Amino acid sequence: MQKVNIILVGFGRVGRAFYELLKEKYDYCRERYGLFLELRGIIRKSGAVLLSGTRKMVSEAEAGKEKSELSGWVQTFSLVDLLEEFKSGVLVDCTPSDLNTGEPGFSLMKTALSSGWHVVTASKGALVVHPSELAAEARQHQVALKASGATAAALPTLDVGLHSLAGAEILAIEGILNGTTNYILTRMSEGLSFSRALMEASEKGIAEPNPVQDIEGWDTAAKMIIIANRVLGTEIKLSEARVNGINGLTEEIMAKAARLGKTIKLIGRCSRETPEAPWKVEVGLALLNPDHPLAAVDGSNKGIIFYTDCMGYIVLAGGKSDPRGAAAALIKDIISIYWRDF
Ligand SMILES: NC(=O)c1ccc[n+]([C@@H]2O[C@H](COP(=O)([O-])OP(=O)(O)OC[C@H]3O[C@@H](n4cnc5c(N)ncnc54)[C@H](OP(=O)(O)O)[C@@H]3O)[C@@H](O)[C@H]2O)c1
């Protein structure tokens, strides 16, 4: 049995979903993995709270008298205070993804890693802008830096590329990595206009309040770059990727694709022309034949294909595109840091 201290940064849609799922999974993680996942504090832009641990929160919720520790947001303690108070554990980063600066995630993650804390993140910015600095910091302090929540969340991507395919040479990676755009394309193929489909995605909570990065393809590019840099050991920058989104797509183009018996998908791809050539990341609309493994990935589902030299091609599809799915990916990463199944 092991006690794991957790500090959560960011208490928006994903942070709240993580908080709720952690309470829901507390007993299961204790019984199945021998881990007491104890939430010690939450930090957001507008303040922070110190908590008495998930176990206490679960017991109070079960007794119908959930203590409102969450009402006591104060500005008086910082991340450094919490890291020092609890000595070791995991920082869970659910702050916004700024693909230009990598902040606030970069500073938060660097502080935690350099204090000997593991980091599990849902935000992409820091991993796209400063991947090598963060990896070096984690290596130096012998702690984990895990990013399932930032790389298609509930759809396993990094775990498969890094561990399940170990020993195989990956020749190319291709994926539908953004649930919002895949939902819009699916609804457009059923006859909706772009604006109606986007409105529906927002109403269902699939699209973020500002979905520009999704629509323009930058979210897909960021995820593919994080996956490629981790799995293939590349150092691709976002500015080097060729990125086109789904903006400009009309009902007429969708209808034409349907008449040809094809499906239109937003595909992110990392490939190289020869084994000596540099790896390239591209994002754009693709006309897929019905037998393409990603053609049937519909709605807010996502999918990824790893093409390998000795394991054939591996296809994964599904994975909930919502804050709860992202929260589940964060918990999975925490478990995989501490649980050894030998
Ligand atoms: N939404 C999804 O389904 C999904 C799925 C996978 C990954 N992600 C990623 O997960 C991250 C969080 O997404 P979200 O939808 O939860 O965002 P959100 O609702 O906008 O919440 C962001 C949170 O971060 C806090 N924050 C902002 N700047 C901060 C700082 N400097 N220090 C500490 N806290 C700060 C905010 O504080 P206040 O509350 O005080 O404003 C807020 O609580 C993003 O990077 C997103 O790309 C989202």
Side-chain angles (χ1 to χ4, degrees):
M1 291 287 179
Q2 185 173 5
K3 205 163 260 191
V4 177
N5 296 316
I6 297 171
I7 296 172
L8 170 63
V9 191
F11 201 57
R13 293 176 314 148
V14 176
R16 281 167 200 271
F18 175 80
Y19 169 80
E20 291 301 333
L21 194 61
L22 194 63
K23 284 193 289 179
E24 192 181 316
K25 294 283 179 186
Y26 181 79
D27 287 337
Y28 182 73
C29 290
R30 190 200 62 223
E31 286 156 20
R32 176 74 182 86
Y33 306 107
L35 298 174
F36 293 93
L37 302 184
E38 301 293 357
L39 188 58
R40 300 301 187 186
I42 307 175
I43 300 176
R44 61 200 289 194
K45 204 172 178 182
S46 46
V49 282
L50 200 59
L51 298 169
S52 41
T54 319
R55 166 184 251 178
K56 189 139 180 271
M57 292 172 343
V58 171
S59 330
E60 280 164 355
E62 279 167 0
K65 49 169 188 161
E66 198 158 7
K67 204 174 148 202
S68 63
E69 286 174 308
L70 289 184
S71 60
W73 296 96
V74 292
Q75 292 284 2
T76 43
F77 38 75
S78 65
L79 175 60
V80 174
D81 296 332
L82 287 179
L83 297 173
E84 281 175 3
E85 170 86 18
F86 294 105
K87 309 284 185 272
S88 66
V90 190
L91 177 92
V92 176
D93 172 24
C94 297
T95 60
S97 292
D98 185 327
L99 301 180
N100 296 312
T101 66
E103 294 293 355
F106 177 62
S107 302
L108 295 163
M109 289 190 221
K110 199 169 172 201
T111 303
L113 293 168
S114 63
S115 307
W117 282 63
H118 301 293
V119 169
V120 162
T121 184
S123 78
K124 294 165 281 287
L127 297 172
V128 167
V129 181
H130 302 288
S132 354
E133 279 168 84
L134 288 173
E137 203 70 47
R139 260 195 312 275
Q140 188 189 336
H141 297 277
Q142 300 189 343
V143 285
L145 168 58
K146 289 194 158 276
S148 297
T151 47
L155 177 79
T157 54
L158 286 178
D159 290 342
V160 174
L162 284 169
H163 306 294
S164 310
L165 304 181
E169 201 178 319
I170 294 169
L171 308 174
I173 309 173
E174 201 171 58
I176 294 173
L177 300 175
N178 182 272
T180 299
T181 45
N182 203 43
Y183 182 85
I184 292 171
L185 293 176
T186 302
R187 295 296 283 137
M188 285 182 78
S189 73
E190 292 162 0
L192 258 65
S193 66
F194 176 85
S195 51
R196 255 319 289 287
L198 173 59
M199 197 186 301
E200 203 178 88
S202 303
E203 282 163 9
K204 286 177 177 280
I206 298 164
E208 297 200 19
N210 180 359
V212 172
Q213 285 187 353
D214 298 340
I215 304 293
E216 292 184 349
W218 294 106
D219 179 79
T220 299
K223 287 171 182 162
M224 184 52 84
I225 283 172
I226 299 170
I227 294 168
N229 287 349
R230 279 291 185 94
V231 170
L232 304 170
T234 56
E235 292 184 358
I236 302 168
K237 295 186 171 50
L238 195 57
S239 56
E240 295 163 354
R242 223 169 66 197
V243 183
N244 288 293
I246 66 167
N247 33 342
L249 191 64
T250 60
E251 291 115 289
E252 289 71 36
I253 299 173
M254 294 301 286
K256 198 167 171 189
R259 281 199 298 279
L260 294 169
K262 313 248 186 192
T263 309
I264 295 187
K265 294 290 184 192
L266 184 69
I267 300 289
R269 187 176 286 116
C270 183
S271 59
R272 55 184 174 180
E273 278 159 26
T274 65
E276 291 74 37
W279 289 97
K280 285 187 184 151
V281 166
E282 292 168 290
V283 176
L285 289 169
L287 266 181
L288 304 185
N289 287 323
D291 59 354
H292 188 286
L294 297 177
V297 176
D298 275 344
S300 67
N301 284 317
K302 291 161 286 189
I304 191 161
I305 312 177
F306 292 95
Y307 296 91
T308 76
D309 63 340
C310 56
M311 291 188 185
Y313 66 88
I314 311 297
V315 186
L316 293 128
K320 268 179 92 64
S321 283
D322 66 5
R324 187 173 161 87
L330 293 164
I331 291 179
K332 172 195 71 175
D333 275 354
I334 297 174
I335 293 167
S336 74
I337 292 171
Y338 291 94
W339 188 55
R340 294 284 169 265
D341 62 342
F342 38 65

PDB file of all heavy atoms in Angstrom, residues 181-203:
ATOM      1  N   THR A 181     -13.393  18.367 -34.207  1.00  0.00           N
ATOM      2  CA  THR A 181     -13.459  18.421 -35.673  1.00  0.00           C
ATOM      3  C   THR A 181     -14.021  17.120 -36.242  1.00  0.00           C
ATOM      4  O   THR A 181     -14.749  17.137 -37.241  1.00  0.00           O
ATOM      5  CB  THR A 181     -12.074  18.719 -36.287  1.00  0.00           C
ATOM      6  OG1 THR A 181     -11.104  17.897 -35.633  1.00  0.00           O
ATOM      7  CG2 THR A 181     -11.701  20.164 -36.120  1.00  0.00           C
ATOM      8  N   ASN A 182     -13.718  15.994 -35.597  1.00  0.00           N
ATOM      9  CA  ASN A 182     -14.265  14.739 -36.115  1.00  0.00           C
ATOM     10  C   ASN A 182     -15.781  14.705 -35.949  1.00  0.00           C
ATOM     11  O   ASN A 182     -16.503  14.207 -36.811  1.00  0.00           O
ATOM     12  CB  ASN A 182     -13.624  13.539 -35.422  1.00  0.00           C
ATOM     13  CG  ASN A 182     -13.732  12.289 -36.268  1.00  0.00           C
ATOM     14  OD1 ASN A 182     -13.518  12.334 -37.489  1.00  0.00           O
ATOM     15  ND2 ASN A 182     -14.120  11.182 -35.664  1.00  0.00           N
ATOM     16  N   TYR A 183     -16.256  15.290 -34.848  1.00  0.00           N
ATOM     17  CA  TYR A 183     -17.707  15.364 -34.639  1.00  0.00           C
ATOM     18  C   TYR A 183     -18.343  16.250 -35.725  1.00  0.00           C
ATOM     19  O   TYR A 183     -19.360  15.881 -36.324  1.00  0.00           O
ATOM     20  CB  TYR A 183     -18.010  15.938 -33.246  1.00  0.00           C
ATOM     21  CG  TYR A 183     -19.485  15.988 -32.955  1.00  0.00           C
ATOM     22  CD1 TYR A 183     -20.145  14.866 -32.444  1.00  0.00           C
ATOM     23  CD2 TYR A 183     -20.237  17.125 -33.246  1.00  0.00           C
ATOM     24  CE1 TYR A 183     -21.508  14.901 -32.215  1.00  0.00           C
ATOM     25  CE2 TYR A 183     -21.600  17.156 -33.016  1.00  0.00           C
ATOM     26  CZ  TYR A 183     -22.227  16.042 -32.500  1.00  0.00           C
ATOM     27  OH  TYR A 183     -23.580  16.069 -32.286  1.00  0.00           O
ATOM     28  N   ILE A 184     -17.712  17.393 -35.986  1.00  0.00           N
ATOM     29  CA  ILE A 184     -18.264  18.313 -36.997  1.00  0.00           C
ATOM     30  C   ILE A 184     -18.290  17.631 -38.370  1.00  0.00           C
ATOM     31  O   ILE A 184     -19.290  17.686 -39.090  1.00  0.00           O
ATOM     32  CB  ILE A 184     -17.434  19.624 -37.038  1.00  0.00           C
ATOM     33  CG1 ILE A 184     -17.643  20.401 -35.731  1.00  0.00           C
ATOM     34  CG2 ILE A 184     -17.808  20.480 -38.243  1.00  0.00           C
ATOM     35  CD1 ILE A 184     -16.711  21.598 -35.561  1.00  0.00           C
ATOM     36  N   LEU A 185     -17.198  16.956 -38.728  1.00  0.00           N
ATOM     37  CA  LEU A 185     -17.146  16.290 -40.042  1.00  0.00           C
ATOM     38  C   LEU A 185     -18.198  15.186 -40.137  1.00  0.00           C
ATOM     39  O   LEU A 185     -18.839  15.009 -41.183  1.00  0.00           O
ATOM     40  CB  LEU A 185     -15.746  15.706 -40.288  1.00  0.00           C
ATOM     41  CG  LEU A 185     -14.620  16.734 -40.460  1.00  0.00           C
ATOM     42  CD1 LEU A 185     -13.273  16.043 -40.608  1.00  0.00           C
ATOM     43  CD2 LEU A 185     -14.891  17.623 -41.674  1.00  0.00           C
ATOM     44  N   THR A 186     -18.386  14.468 -39.035  1.00  0.00           N
ATOM     45  CA  THR A 186     -19.383  13.387 -39.050  1.00  0.00           C
ATOM     46  C   THR A 186     -20.785  13.969 -39.268  1.00  0.00           C
ATOM     47  O   THR A 186     -21.552  13.476 -40.102  1.00  0.00           O
ATOM     48  CB  THR A 186     -19.349  12.624 -37.706  1.00  0.00           C
ATOM     49  OG1 THR A 186     -18.045  12.119 -37.512  1.00  0.00           O
ATOM     50  CG2 THR A 186     -20.342  11.467 -37.700  1.00  0.00           C
ATOM     51  N   ARG A 187     -21.102  15.049 -38.549  1.00  0.00           N
ATOM     52  CA  ARG A 187     -22.441  15.646 -38.672  1.00  0.00           C
ATOM     53  C   ARG A 187     -22.613  16.305 -40.050  1.00  0.00           C
ATOM     54  O   ARG A 187     -23.705  16.267 -40.610  1.00  0.00           O
ATOM     55  CB  ARG A 187     -22.682  16.656 -37.549  1.00  0.00           C
ATOM     56  CG  ARG A 187     -22.726  16.023 -36.172  1.00  0.00           C
ATOM     57  CD  ARG A 187     -23.895  15.041 -36.010  1.00  0.00           C
ATOM     58  NE  ARG A 187     -25.153  15.723 -35.822  1.00  0.00           N
ATOM     59  CZ  ARG A 187     -26.311  15.383 -36.402  1.00  0.00           C
ATOM     60  NH1 ARG A 187     -26.351  14.371 -37.247  1.00  0.00           N
ATOM     61  NH2 ARG A 187     -27.413  16.046 -36.165  1.00  0.00           N
ATOM     62  N   MET A 188     -21.507  16.874 -40.612  1.00  0.00           N
ATOM     63  CA  MET A 188     -21.616  17.454 -41.959  1.00  0.00           C
ATOM     64  C   MET A 188     -21.862  16.352 -42.988  1.00  0.00           C
ATOM     65  O   MET A 188     -22.596  16.549 -43.954  1.00  0.00           O
ATOM     66  CB  MET A 188     -20.341  18.238 -42.307  1.00  0.00           C
ATOM     67  CG  MET A 188     -20.251  19.583 -41.591  1.00  0.00           C
ATOM     68  SD  MET A 188     -18.768  20.502 -42.054  1.00  0.00           S
ATOM     69  CE  MET A 188     -19.235  21.177 -43.665  1.00  0.00           C
ATOM     70  N   SER A 189     -21.264  15.185 -42.758  1.00  0.00           N
ATOM     71  CA  SER A 189     -21.487  14.077 -43.714  1.00  0.00           C
ATOM     72  C   SER A 189     -22.934  13.598 -43.635  1.00  0.00           C
ATOM     73  O   SER A 189     -23.428  12.925 -44.535  1.00  0.00           O
ATOM     74  CB  SER A 189     -20.522  12.925 -43.446  1.00  0.00           C
ATOM     75  OG  SER A 189     -20.901  12.243 -42.259  1.00  0.00           O
ATOM     76  N   GLU A 190     -23.621  13.968 -42.535  1.00  0.00           N
ATOM     77  CA  GLU A 190     -25.036  13.592 -42.394  1.00  0.00           C
ATOM     78  C   GLU A 190     -25.965  14.721 -42.845  1.00  0.00           C
ATOM     79  O   GLU A 190     -27.163  14.664 -42.631  1.00  0.00           O
ATOM     80  CB  GLU A 190     -25.310  13.215 -40.928  1.00  0.00           C
ATOM     81  CG  GLU A 190     -24.611  11.914 -40.515  1.00  0.00           C
ATOM     82  CD  GLU A 190     -24.487  11.713 -39.005  1.00  0.00           C
ATOM     83  OE1 GLU A 190     -24.942  12.573 -38.236  1.00  0.00           O
ATOM     84  OE2 GLU A 190     -23.906  10.690 -38.604  1.00  0.00           O
ATOM     85  N   GLY A 191     -25.371  15.802 -43.408  1.00  0.00           N
ATOM     86  CA  GLY A 191     -26.194  16.842 -44.023  1.00  0.00           C
ATOM     87  C   GLY A 191     -26.203  18.181 -43.307  1.00  0.00           C
ATOM     88  O   GLY A 191     -26.811  19.139 -43.797  1.00  0.00           O
ATOM     89  N   LEU A 192     -25.577  18.310 -42.152  1.00  0.00           N
ATOM     90  CA  LEU A 192     -25.589  19.586 -41.439  1.00  0.00           C
ATOM     91  C   LEU A 192     -24.583  20.559 -42.060  1.00  0.00           C
ATOM     92  O   LEU A 192     -23.570  20.134 -42.632  1.00  0.00           O
ATOM     93  CB  LEU A 192     -25.204  19.365 -39.964  1.00  0.00           C
ATOM     94  CG  LEU A 192     -26.351  19.371 -38.959  1.00  0.00           C
ATOM     95  CD1 LEU A 192     -27.280  18.190 -39.215  1.00  0.00           C
ATOM     96  CD2 LEU A 192     -25.802  19.284 -37.532  1.00  0.00           C
ATOM     97  N   SER A 193     -24.839  21.860 -41.902  1.00  0.00           N
ATOM     98  CA  SER A 193     -23.858  22.849 -42.343  1.00  0.00           C
ATOM     99  C   SER A 193     -22.736  22.901 -41.308  1.00  0.00           C
ATOM    100  O   SER A 193     -22.905  22.430 -40.171  1.00  0.00           O
ATOM    101  CB  SER A 193     -24.509  24.228 -42.443  1.00  0.00           C
ATOM    102  OG  SER A 193     -24.872  24.650 -41.133  1.00  0.00           O
ATOM    103  N   PHE A 194     -21.612  23.526 -41.692  1.00  0.00           N
ATOM    104  CA  PHE A 194     -20.479  23.656 -40.766  1.00  0.00           C
ATOM    105  C   PHE A 194     -20.919  24.376 -39.490  1.00  0.00           C
ATOM    106  O   PHE A 194     -20.647  23.921 -38.373  1.00  0.00           O
ATOM    107  CB  PHE A 194     -19.350  24.445 -41.462  1.00  0.00           C
ATOM    108  CG  PHE A 194     -18.184  24.727 -40.566  1.00  0.00           C
ATOM    109  CD1 PHE A 194     -17.177  23.797 -40.403  1.00  0.00           C
ATOM    110  CD2 PHE A 194     -18.095  25.941 -39.872  1.00  0.00           C
ATOM    111  CE1 PHE A 194     -16.101  24.051 -39.565  1.00  0.00           C
ATOM    112  CE2 PHE A 194     -17.024  26.193 -39.035  1.00  0.00           C
ATOM    113  CZ  PHE A 194     -16.027  25.251 -38.887  1.00  0.00           C
ATOM    114  N   SER A 195     -21.643  25.502 -39.648  1.00  0.00           N
ATOM    115  CA  SER A 195     -21.988  26.303 -38.452  1.00  0.00           C
ATOM    116  C   SER A 195     -22.969  25.556 -37.548  1.00  0.00           C
ATOM    117  O   SER A 195     -22.867  25.615 -36.322  1.00  0.00           O
ATOM    118  CB  SER A 195     -22.514  27.683 -38.841  1.00  0.00           C
ATOM    119  OG  SER A 195     -23.527  27.532 -39.781  1.00  0.00           O
ATOM    120  N   ARG A 196     -23.925  24.819 -38.143  1.00  0.00           N
ATOM    121  CA  ARG A 196     -24.878  24.033 -37.317  1.00  0.00           C
ATOM    122  C   ARG A 196     -24.131  22.930 -36.553  1.00  0.00           C
ATOM    123  O   ARG A 196     -24.366  22.703 -35.358  1.00  0.00           O
ATOM    124  CB  ARG A 196     -25.913  23.356 -38.223  1.00  0.00           C
ATOM    125  CG  ARG A 196     -27.331  23.903 -38.290  1.00  0.00           C
ATOM    126  CD  ARG A 196     -27.961  24.353 -37.019  1.00  0.00           C
ATOM    127  NE  ARG A 196     -28.336  23.306 -36.053  1.00  0.00           N
ATOM    128  CZ  ARG A 196     -29.341  22.471 -36.157  1.00  0.00           C
ATOM    129  NH1 ARG A 196     -30.126  22.512 -37.201  1.00  0.00           N
ATOM    130  NH2 ARG A 196     -29.599  21.591 -35.216  1.00  0.00           N
ATOM    131  N   ALA A 197     -23.211  22.270 -37.271  1.00  0.00           N
ATOM    132  CA  ALA A 197     -22.471  21.161 -36.639  1.00  0.00           C
ATOM    133  C   ALA A 197     -21.591  21.685 -35.510  1.00  0.00           C
ATOM    134  O   ALA A 197     -21.500  21.067 -34.437  1.00  0.00           O
ATOM    135  CB  ALA A 197     -21.618  20.435 -37.689  1.00  0.00           C
ATOM    136  N   LEU A 198     -20.973  22.861 -35.723  1.00  0.00           N
ATOM    137  CA  LEU A 198     -20.122  23.449 -34.675  1.00  0.00           C
ATOM    138  C   LEU A 198     -20.972  23.836 -33.463  1.00  0.00           C
ATOM    139  O   LEU A 198     -20.599  23.582 -32.312  1.00  0.00           O
ATOM    140  CB  LEU A 198     -19.374  24.674 -35.231  1.00  0.00           C
ATOM    141  CG  LEU A 198     -18.591  25.489 -34.204  1.00  0.00           C
ATOM    142  CD1 LEU A 198     -17.542  24.627 -33.492  1.00  0.00           C
ATOM    143  CD2 LEU A 198     -17.878  26.681 -34.883  1.00  0.00           C
ATOM    144  N   MET A 199     -22.146  24.428 -33.748  1.00  0.00           N
ATOM    145  CA  MET A 199     -23.041  24.830 -32.649  1.00  0.00           C
ATOM    146  C   MET A 199     -23.447  23.602 -31.838  1.00  0.00           C
ATOM    147  O   MET A 199     -23.457  23.612 -30.606  1.00  0.00           O
ATOM    148  CB  MET A 199     -24.285  25.515 -33.232  1.00  0.00           C
ATOM    149  CG  MET A 199     -25.074  26.331 -32.217  1.00  0.00           C
ATOM    150  SD  MET A 199     -26.603  26.942 -32.922  1.00  0.00           S
ATOM    151  CE  MET A 199     -25.995  27.899 -34.282  1.00  0.00           C
ATOM    152  N   GLU A 200     -23.749  22.518 -32.530  1.00  0.00           N
ATOM    153  CA  GLU A 200     -24.150  21.283 -31.850  1.00  0.00           C
ATOM    154  C   GLU A 200     -23.003  20.743 -30.979  1.00  0.00           C
ATOM    155  O   GLU A 200     -23.223  20.334 -29.838  1.00  0.00           O
ATOM    156  CB  GLU A 200     -24.545  20.248 -32.915  1.00  0.00           C
ATOM    157  CG  GLU A 200     -25.474  19.183 -32.392  1.00  0.00           C
ATOM    158  CD  GLU A 200     -25.859  18.211 -33.513  1.00  0.00           C
ATOM    159  OE1 GLU A 200     -25.123  17.226 -33.729  1.00  0.00           O
ATOM    160  OE2 GLU A 200     -26.881  18.450 -34.156  1.00  0.00           O
ATOM    161  N   ALA A 201     -21.777  20.811 -31.531  1.00  0.00           N
ATOM    162  CA  ALA A 201     -20.602  20.331 -30.766  1.00  0.00           C
ATOM    163  C   ALA A 201     -20.426  21.177 -29.500  1.00  0.00           C
ATOM    164  O   ALA A 201     -20.075  20.656 -28.441  1.00  0.00           O
ATOM    165  CB  ALA A 201     -19.349  20.386 -31.634  1.00  0.00           C
ATOM    166  N   SER A 202     -20.689  22.477 -29.599  1.00  0.00           N
ATOM    167  CA  SER A 202     -20.574  23.356 -28.423  1.00  0.00           C
ATOM    168  C   SER A 202     -21.670  23.020 -27.416  1.00  0.00           C
ATOM    169  O   SER A 202     -21.406  22.912 -26.219  1.00  0.00           O
ATOM    170  CB  SER A 202     -20.702  24.821 -28.820  1.00  0.00           C
ATOM    171  OG  SER A 202     -19.736  25.132 -29.763  1.00  0.00           O
ATOM    172  N   GLU A 203     -22.907  22.852 -27.917  1.00  0.00           N
ATOM    173  CA  GLU A 203     -24.041  22.548 -27.014  1.00  0.00           C
ATOM    174  C   GLU A 203     -23.814  21.241 -26.263  1.00  0.00           C
ATOM    175  O   GLU A 203     -24.190  21.106 -25.111  1.00  0.00           O
ATOM    176  CB  GLU A 203     -25.349  22.457 -27.820  1.00  0.00           C
ATOM    177  CG  GLU A 203     -25.922  23.814 -28.195  1.00  0.00           C
ATOM    178  CD  GLU A 203     -26.951  23.713 -29.314  1.00  0.00           C
ATOM    179  OE1 GLU A 203     -27.349  22.580 -29.696  1.00  0.00           O
ATOM    180  OE2 GLU A 203     -27.348  24.781 -29.817  1.00  0.00           O
TER     181      GLU A 203
END
